């Protein structure tokens, strides 16, 4: 079963608006990562937040992590048409001696120019 | 600056045929993995490797085989293709260690008829 579940599964906004995507997970984690996938391409790493961090920023991205609620959010501010993509959260933890990275099903973001 | 290279980009197989999906990386990453991506199911880990000569199973290994003879290459073999293996396959690599971001190839779209 999937460790992470994104919400909403699809989101459509106007250019310039902010986009917020949420991720919930089930078990304890070491880190939580967010990835972007443009149509027909592989995933690209955006940002990582460690389990002992609560908030992290990178450019127009803001990620929060609440380990007590087992949830994270990704905020994209001042969205652009080029932000149109699917966004995935991924949790990683050691499992059986190796780094196990588990992905959610993703949020499909459409930014309308 | 190739990163992770996957070949072929597209493949059509008949049920029962076998084939090998190629994956090569030039970043000297010890960790390599294969995922399959299906609509509504996110990415699921098939097999992974933490170095040459070391491989292990992920969540959905049945019907797939891997080997890792060099650091650079991590081929995925379909032994006897089935329609249920119709999917998009992604290879990813990273440094070994929790929290290392994954670098993805652009995927192989496989259709089994």
């Amino acid at each position: 079963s999937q460790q992470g579940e994104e919400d909403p599964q699809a989101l459509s906004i106007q250019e310039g608006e902010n986009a917020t995507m949420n991720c919930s997970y089930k078990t304890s984690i070491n880190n939580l990562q967010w990835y972007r996938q443009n149509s027909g391409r592989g995933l690209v790493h955006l940002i990582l937040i460690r389990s002992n961090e609560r908030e992290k920023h990178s450019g127009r991205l803001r990620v929060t992590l609440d380990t007590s609620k087992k949830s994270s959010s990704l905020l994209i501010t001042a969205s652009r048409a080029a932000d149109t993509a699917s966004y995935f959260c991924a949790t990683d933890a050691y499992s059986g001696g190796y780094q196990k990275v588990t992905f959610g099903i993703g949020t499909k973001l459409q930014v309308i120019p | 600056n190739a990163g992770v290279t996957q070949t072929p980009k597209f493949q059509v197989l008949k049920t029962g045929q076998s084939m090998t999906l190629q994956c090569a990386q030039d970043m000297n990453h010890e960790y390599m993995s294969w995922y399959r991506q299906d609509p509504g199911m996110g990415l699921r880990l098939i097999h992974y490797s933490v170095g040459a000569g070391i491989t292990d199973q992920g969540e959905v290994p049945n019907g797939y085989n891997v080997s890792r003879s060099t650091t650079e290459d991590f081929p995925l073999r379909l032994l006897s293709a089935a329609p249920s293996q119709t999917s998009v396959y992604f290879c990813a690599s990273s440094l070994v260690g929790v929290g290392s971001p994954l670098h993805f190839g652009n995927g192989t779209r496989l259709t089994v008829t």
Side-chain angles (χ1 to χ4, degrees):
Chain A
S1 62
Q2 296 300 308
Q3 163 76 310
E5 292 191 9
E6 290 88 342
D7 169 53
Q9 291 191 19
L11 180 60
S12 184
I13 59 173
Q14 296 289 329
E15 200 167 31
E17 293 181 337
N18 295 341
T20 300
M21 289 159 268
N22 303 298
C23 169
S24 60
Y25 56 92
K26 297 171 188 168
T27 62
S28 296
I29 61 170
N30 293 100
N31 306 285
L32 188 140
Q33 303 178 45
W34 285 91
Y35 288 79
R36 183 187 73 223
Q37 183 181 34
N38 290 92
S39 181
R41 305 299 295 270
L43 280 71
V44 174
H45 181 260
L46 293 175
I47 193 167
L48 176 149
I49 186 165
R50 301 192 187 281
S51 59
N52 61 356
E53 296 176 314
R54 292 296 166 258
E55 187 171 313
K56 200 159 183 181
H57 297 256
S58 176
R60 293 184 296 113
L61 305 180
R62 174 180 168 246
V63 170
T64 63
L65 179 64
D66 187 335
T67 53
S68 66
K69 294 182 180 175
K70 291 188 170 58
S71 67
S72 173
S73 67
L74 171 67
L75 168 68
I76 304 174
T77 60
S79 63
R80 305 166 182 167
D83 295 328
T84 294
S86 292
Y87 291 82
F88 294 85
C89 70
T91 55
D92 72 47
Y94 269 123
S95 174
Y98 71 96
Q99 175 185 319
K100 183 174 179 180
V101 180
T102 309
F103 287 85
I105 62 174
T107 292
K108 197 164 189 174
L109 172 66
Q110 182 185 26
V111 181
I112 302 166
Chain B
N1 197 21
V4 179
T5 303
Q6 289 185 239
T7 56
K9 286 189 168 60
F10 301 95
Q11 183 70 50
V12 179
L13 291 178
K14 293 188 187 307
T15 297
Q17 288 184 317
S18 62
M19 78 159 295
T20 299
L21 281 64
Q22 302 291 344
C23 175
Q25 53 90 10
D26 61 0
M27 297 172 283
N28 205 30
H29 285 166
E30 290 293 330
Y31 184 88
M32 295 186 74
S33 54
W34 278 100
Y35 288 86
R36 59 176 289 173
Q37 183 176 32
D38 302 291
M41 301 195 73
L43 282 84
R44 291 180 291 169
L45 182 64
I46 304 171
H47 284 287
Y48 68 96
S49 168
V50 296
I54 307 168
T55 64
D56 207 343
Q57 297 179 349
E59 301 169 70
V60 289
N62 292 341
Y64 307 96
N65 202 0
V66 293
S67 60
R68 182 98 179 267
S69 55
T70 67
T71 299
E72 294 77 23
D73 300 297
F74 191 44
L76 179 72
R77 296 182 188 84
L78 277 70
L79 308 171
S80 176
S84 60
Q85 294 178 304
T86 292
S87 186
V88 182
Y89 291 85
F90 288 98
C91 179
S93 73
S94 74
L95 297 171
V96 170
V98 173
S100 298
L102 290 169
H103 297 255
F104 281 82
N106 281 326
T108 294
R109 185 173 294 273
L110 175 69
T111 302
V112 183
T113 60

